[in-house]
Amino acid sequence: MQQDTNPSSVDTEAAASGAASATATERSAFQRFLTVTVGPIVAAFLLSAIILMLVGVNPLTYYGYILDRSLFSSLGLEQTATRMAPLLFLVASLIIAFRAGIWNLGTDGQFLLGAVIAAATAPLLVGVLPGWAVLLVGFLLAALVGAIWSIIPALLKAYQGVNEIITTLMMSFLGVLLASTLVKLAFRDPTTTVPQTRTLPVADRLPRLFETSISSGLVWGLIAVILVHLMMTRTSFGLRLRMVGANPAAATHAGLSVPLLTMATFGLSAGFAGLAGASEILGVAGNVRANWNPAYGLMVIPLVFLARFHGVGAIVLVFFYSALMIGSESAARRLGVPQNFTLVLVASLLICLGLGEYIDQHKRKKER
């Protein structure tokens, strides 16, 4: 005897099964978000709070000063927004490299050389070229110098297979020393006793936003990150770069020129690092002093990883990190905490981030 099947009941069961599956997927994604993103951030702040208590500082007071001086005051908020500009260009630089499977750890050297060349040329062009042309030339030269400084690691990686972690770090150290040497010798301002480049007048720097002290470099940094994110995720060129990073053998089999794409990745990444240096000088500082090295490049690396190489997520993290940097400087003066304690917090974040990734991978293996 044939059993009748009610189509409506089958559809209901299928819908219920699909809804349950979707709910499970959403729950799994939310749990992973807690494990690899929210968890490490909370744990890092708790670990840093313990360290503060051990040295006799109230962590609530310390974090309270950070929030008050960086987000809840107009001056602090403007300083936070201005600090974001060079960090955003560095985010764009690292997103290109990391998504393409390239470990460009030489951004600090590229940053400083870009800053020095912009600081050395822009003041000389004032009065010779229109204001916008002075800034444009400064940015272009900074990007070019940053890209040139990556040629040696790029060639060694593309044609000899040399590990770029070592070569980019070595070139970064050389770049930092060369930048300081250029400031002391070739590009030194002869009218000052302190070794520094000539100073670009405030009126000739990047314009401010809405009658505030916020440099318009912030806008260009945001545009750079968004364009890079779209390039790496929505264009065929970005797909080629990501394919080379994911599987060079498959990329070669598909007819792609792996060495040329590797060179292009280095050039673009280092060029944006040079732009970061130019944005800091042409927008805020106006000159470069000898031995100046804010080490922004290494600071931004954990933010890019924490954002999972996503442009919008990196922008949000850069904002909070800039607030942390500005606020911690004020807290250090008020509470007697070393300004480098921000690096302790970043180190704690890296440790907790690594533990979160390990826990997530361990859970995934168990589920399989």
Side-chain angles (χ1 to χ4, degrees):
M1 183 175 179
Q2 187 175 2
Q3 183 178 3
D4 293 333
T5 303
N6 188 346
S8 62
S9 64
V10 174
D11 292 341
T12 302
E13 292 176 1
S17 176
S21 177
T23 302
T25 302
E26 291 176 359
R27 187 183 301 114
S28 176
F30 180 71
Q31 289 175 349
R32 186 169 188 271
F33 174 73
L34 291 178
T35 302
V36 301
T37 302
V38 177
I41 294 175
V42 174
F45 275 95
L46 289 176
L47 181 59
S48 300
I50 293 173
I51 297 174
L52 286 170
M53 286 189 291
L54 291 176
V55 297
V57 176
N58 187 333
L60 295 179
T61 304
Y62 180 79
Y63 293 143
Y65 268 120
I66 291 177
L67 292 175
D68 181 61
R69 301 301 177 183
S70 61
L71 297 178
F72 298 151
S73 68
S74 58
L75 178 60
L77 194 57
E78 290 177 12
Q79 292 175 339
T80 296
T82 299
R83 182 66 62 88
M84 288 177 63
L87 302 184
L88 289 172
F89 279 107
L90 288 170
V91 163
S93 167
L94 293 174
I95 287 178
I96 293 174
F98 293 161
R99 277 190 174 270
I102 300 294
W103 286 82
N104 178 19
L105 302 185
T107 49
D108 283 330
Q110 298 152 10
F111 171 93
L112 278 176
L113 288 173
V116 168
I117 197 65
T121 56
L124 298 178
L125 297 176
V126 174
V128 179
L129 297 176
W132 64 268
V134 172
L135 297 175
L136 180 61
V137 171
F139 273 107
L140 290 178
L141 288 177
L144 180 61
V145 168
I148 289 174
W149 199 247
S150 71
I151 287 179
I152 293 178
L155 288 173
L156 292 175
K157 173 68 175 180
Y159 295 100
Q160 300 298 325
V162 178
N163 191 314
E164 72 275 14
I165 295 178
I166 298 173
T167 55
T168 54
L169 280 175
M170 291 177 63
M171 292 300 292
S172 182
F173 291 135
L174 289 175
V176 171
L177 294 174
L178 177 60
S180 181
T181 302
L182 290 174
V183 171
K184 294 177 181 177
L185 299 177
F187 299 146
R188 179 171 179 171
D189 184 357
T191 63
T192 61
T193 56
V194 178
Q196 66 179 43
T197 63
R198 291 176 173 85
T199 301
L200 182 67
V202 175
D204 296 307
R205 298 175 194 174
L206 288 172
R208 300 294 189 255
L209 297 177
F210 310 115
E211 299 182 354
T212 66
S213 62
I214 301 175
S215 169
S216 56
L218 171 67
V219 176
W220 296 112
L222 291 171
I223 292 174
V225 173
I226 292 172
L227 288 180
V228 163
H229 177 76
L230 293 176
M231 180 189 76
M232 297 302 294
T233 58
R234 303 294 177 85
T235 67
S236 58
F237 178 67
L239 177 62
R240 293 189 185 98
L241 295 183
R242 288 188 287 120
M243 185 181 296
V244 169
N247 194 330
T252 302
H253 184 71
L256 301 179
S257 176
V258 174
L260 289 180
L261 288 173
T262 300
M263 296 285 293
T265 300
F266 271 99
L268 287 172
S269 177
F272 274 104
L275 289 176
S279 70
E280 179 70 7
I281 301 306
L282 301 180
V284 181
N287 61 40
V288 176
R289 292 191 174 187
N291 303 318
W292 174 68
N293 180 18
Y296 287 156
L298 294 178
M299 292 181 185
V300 170
I301 290 176
L303 305 181
V304 176
F305 272 93
L306 192 60
R308 302 296 183 268
F309 311 146
H310 193 282
V312 177
I315 290 172
V316 175
L317 290 175
V318 164
F319 171 73
F320 284 108
Y321 183 70
S322 299
L324 181 64
M325 292 175 67
I326 296 298
S328 63
E329 292 172 2
S330 176
R333 292 190 297 268
R334 294 273 183 163
L335 303 176
V337 179
Q339 291 189 7
N340 290 333
F341 184 77
T342 306
L343 299 180
V344 175
L345 181 57
V346 173
S348 302
L349 180 59
L350 284 173
I351 294 172
C352 295
L353 181 62
L355 291 174
E357 288 285 354
Y358 172 78
I359 294 172
D360 180 65
Q361 293 296 328
H362 188 65
K363 286 183 178 179
R364 285 172 173 267
K365 287 180 180 179
K366 280 188 173 182
E367 291 175 355
R368 294 172 187 171

